[in-house]
Structure formats: C-alpha cells, structure tokens
Amino acid sequence: MTQLSLFLDLPGLTIEQIEVTYQDLTLSLAMETSEACCPLCGYASQRIHSRYTRTLQDVPCSGKVLRLLVRVRRFFCPNVECRRKIFAERLPELTTVYARRTTRCTAALIELGFALGGKAGADLGARLGLPANRMTLLRILRRTSSPVELTPRLLGVDEFAFRRGRTYGTILVDLERGIPIDLLPDKQSMTFASWLKEHPGVQLISRDRAGEFALGAAQGAPEAIQIADRFHLIRNLAD
C-alpha cells in the first residue's frame, strides 16, 4: 500500500482500503505521523481528541473518478496560552483548509475553465473524470488570482474596439509570446505613457504611425526603439 501511495503521489498518507466501481475509484487514507502541530502556536501534540473523515475529489486515475476519504484527527493543543484548545491536523501537500478538492484537481479545473469556459469546460471535465458543473468552474475562476505578467521586451500596440465605431481603447501584445497582455481604456498618449512607466524594460515598440502612440512611447519609454508594424506598412502601401 505504501508503494501505491507513492505512485499516486500521496505523501505522508497510508492507503487503508480501496473500493472500485465501474466509474469511481475510492481510497480510504490515514496520516502516517503520530503527531501534528497546532496551526496557531506551532506546538506539536500527540493527544488525540477525536477523528472525522474528509472527502476530497482528486484528478482521475485510469479514466475513473478518484475520491479520497481521508481520516483526519483532532488534537488537544499542549500550549496552555494558546487560544485554540483543539485543532485538526492539516494536509498542506494535498489540499487546503475546508477545500473539497485536492490542490492538483483544482488546478486541472482552472485550466479547463480558462481554456473552454463554464459549460464547455464542465462537459469535457465530466468525460475526463473531473466532474464539476459550470457554476463551480466559474466560481473557481473568480477566486483565482491573475498571474503576474512579466514586462515584455518586444511590445506591440494598436487600437482595440470595445464597440466598433464608438468606443476604442488600446491593446498591448507581447510579440515574443504572441499573446495580449493588457487593454487600456482609451487610445490617448498619456495613458500609454503611464503604462510604460509602470512597466519599465520595454526595448522595442511596434506600432502604427499614429501620433498618439508615437508620443506616448517617447514619453513613457524614451530608450525603446520604435518601429512601424508590418500590417500597417503593407496596408498603407496597398492604399
């Protein structure tokens, strides 16, 4: 059982029982350690108060939905000055407090949600062994913090239509990775210059030959090289 626990990447847990059905695989687990540390004061304790079972959804195994039944212990805190007299042991390598899914399962659902959205992500997840309804996916995405975007060396800038013919902003693209990194609310030079000052390190700016972008680039990143992008050059040549 220990080797199987290592194979499934369940560190510090012992598999006590396995139940297999046509669609599901359920593992009953218990902690290998004899003590736990109070999350408030850090004191270690071996005095067990009680036990309860946490049910966690994990990433699929061999095409089956994997569920973990983890037997968690509550301990008495030995520190008489600690406000928390009884605490439950934590599973930091597996999940977070109060979560109903493992960390890796949540990460897989985040990728599904970002790639496909709510309904399509939920439909594909059900086929892959990651059941979650569309509202659950959307809630997980809303709780996910935006990744920290590195300042691009090669920056593309152009107009972006929030509403065609009425409201325009500015789209900024990392030319090395080929992905949009930000949208500015308007196409004024001061807005573009402020963004460049907040993100130092841009070495090259590819833009059309409009005056606002040229002025904003000169004010916000005067050391950057400005070039006319190929699309607008070819379009102007054709015109």
Side-chain angles (χ1 to χ4, degrees):
M1 290 298 185
T2 302
Q3 294 179 351
L4 182 58
S5 177
L6 293 175
F7 173 75
L8 295 174
D9 193 16
L10 301 171
L13 293 168
T14 301
I15 299 178
E16 297 182 332
Q17 186 177 356
I18 301 176
E19 296 182 8
V20 182
T21 63
Y22 178 73
Q23 293 182 333
D24 299 339
L25 174 62
T26 304
L27 304 182
S28 298
L29 308 171
M31 295 292 292
E32 295 177 346
T33 58
S34 59
E35 63 180 21
C37 295
C38 175
L40 197 60
C41 66
Y43 275 65
S45 175
Q46 294 183 343
R47 293 181 57 204
I48 298 176
H49 172 271
S50 58
R51 294 177 175 84
Y52 70 99
T53 301
R54 288 187 65 177
T55 302
L56 301 172
Q57 178 186 344
D58 202 358
V59 293
C61 180
S62 299
K64 296 181 181 295
V65 177
L66 178 58
R67 290 187 174 85
L68 309 179
L69 305 180
V70 186
R71 184 157 52 89
V72 181
R73 298 164 296 182
R74 293 187 180 95
F75 290 85
F76 290 100
C77 181
N79 184 6
V80 295
E81 298 180 355
C82 182
R83 299 195 308 271
R84 183 168 294 181
K85 303 304 179 184
I86 300 171
F87 66 90
E89 59 187 340
R90 300 295 193 257
L91 308 169
E93 297 182 356
L94 186 64
T95 187
T96 57
V97 181
Y98 304 120
R100 297 183 180 181
R101 297 176 181 84
T102 62
T103 303
R104 59 192 179 190
C105 179
T106 302
L109 292 176
I110 289 173
E111 295 297 329
L112 273 177
F114 275 127
L116 300 175
K119 188 176 186 304
D123 292 342
L124 181 59
R127 294 176 178 270
L128 297 178
L130 288 167
N133 62 52
R134 61 184 182 88
M135 296 308 299
T136 298
L137 276 180
L138 295 178
R139 282 194 297 269
I140 292 175
L141 293 182
R142 293 190 185 102
R143 292 196 300 264
T144 303
S145 57
S146 301
V148 178
E149 291 288 351
L150 300 177
T151 300
R153 294 189 311 114
L154 311 181
L155 178 68
V157 55
D158 201 359
E159 296 179 351
F160 178 84
F162 292 103
R163 187 175 180 185
R164 187 183 297 270
R166 293 178 177 268
T167 307
Y168 286 87
T170 302
I171 185 170
L172 305 177
V173 179
D174 185 337
L175 297 179
E176 289 186 295
R177 293 184 294 167
I179 59 173
I181 58 173
D182 208 346
L183 289 176
L184 305 183
D186 54 51
K187 52 181 181 178
Q188 301 299 318
S189 61
M190 290 302 299
T191 304
F192 183 37
S194 298
W195 189 95
L196 290 173
K197 292 177 181 178
E198 294 172 359
H199 302 79
V202 177
Q203 300 178 10
L204 182 144
I205 300 175
S206 174
R207 58 171 179 80
D208 61 17
R209 288 182 286 176
E212 290 294 324
F213 291 150
L215 180 59
Q219 294 175 344
E223 71 286 352
I225 299 173
Q226 298 187 40
I227 64 172
D229 63 69
R230 181 173 57 186
F231 170 79
H232 287 95
L233 283 177
I234 295 176
R235 181 175 179 180
N236 293 340
L237 179 62
D239 292 342

